[in-house]
């Protein structure tokens, strides 16, 4: 079976994709509004969407004089691919090292720890 494509997205690209996933479809103006920031120009978002379309991440359809964009890749596919990339690159594939890093570098509530323990127990029961 072939290895799934890893979609490496920059911060802005990821924020644009999140806006598209949340809305289903969006114009450049809609994405700008979703970003809630005046840091980006309309042309910056339009250019980024064109580049993302060339990479096969999004597609558009014309509606009047506007382009309406939609995501072509699923949120789960991107998040899994990015997580796998971090695991491989920073932790040399060691899940234990990744989990150790997360447990020692972040505040984790008792509820989150209980959830992690539950996930481990479920995984053990499947083995």
């Amino acid at each position: 079976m072939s290895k799934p494509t890893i979609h490496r997205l920059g911060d802005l690209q990821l924020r644009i994709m999140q806006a598209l996933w949340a809305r289903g479809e969006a114009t450049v103006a809609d994405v700008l509004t979703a970003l809630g920031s005046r840091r980006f120009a309309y042309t910056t978002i339009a250019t980024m969407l064109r580049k993302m379309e060339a990479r096969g991440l999004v597609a558009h359809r014309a509606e009047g004089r506007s382009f309406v964009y939609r995501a072509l890749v699923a949120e789960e596919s991107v998040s899994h691919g990015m997580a796998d990339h971090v695991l491989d690159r920073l932790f040399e594939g060691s899940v234990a090292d990744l989990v150790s890093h997360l447990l020692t570098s972040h505040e984790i509530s008792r509820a989150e720890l209980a959830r992690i323990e539950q996930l481990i127990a479920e995984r053990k029961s499947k083995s």
Side-chain angles (χ1 to χ4, degrees):
M1 187 160 89
S2 65
K3 197 171 187 177
T5 302
I6 296 174
H7 302 286
R8 295 185 188 147
L9 304 179
D11 291 340
L12 179 56
Q13 292 172 327
L14 183 56
R15 289 179 65 197
I16 290 170
M17 291 300 291
Q18 289 167 334
L20 293 175
W21 290 322
R23 287 162 179 71
E25 292 186 325
T27 64
V28 174
D30 295 334
V31 171
L32 256 171
T33 300
L35 296 179
S37 172
R38 297 182 187 261
R39 291 184 344 171
F40 304 107
Y42 182 96
T43 54
T44 300
I45 302 303
T47 299
M48 187 61 69
L49 281 162
R50 278 194 305 276
K51 288 179 178 182
M52 292 168 71
E53 186 167 26
R55 288 181 55 197
L57 298 169
V58 302
H60 79 273
R61 64 179 171 79
E63 189 172 282
R65 295 183 59 195
S66 296
F67 285 170
V68 180
Y69 290 89
R70 73 182 188 292
L72 291 180
V73 294
E75 184 173 9
E76 184 176 280
S77 172
V78 171
S79 63
H80 284 248
M82 291 178 76
D84 288 347
H85 179 71
V86 167
L87 176 66
D88 292 341
R89 294 280 309 233
L90 298 179
F91 299 96
E92 297 177 351
S94 172
V95 174
D97 288 348
L98 172 60
V99 171
S100 175
H101 167 74
L102 293 172
L103 291 172
T104 58
S105 64
H106 292 78
E107 289 293 322
I108 301 175
S109 69
R110 288 187 182 273
E112 286 181 302
L113 285 172
R115 177 70 176 127
I116 292 167
E117 289 170 344
Q118 177 186 2
L119 291 169
I120 291 169
E122 288 172 4
R123 182 62 184 245
K124 281 182 177 179
S125 71
K126 291 180 182 178
S127 299

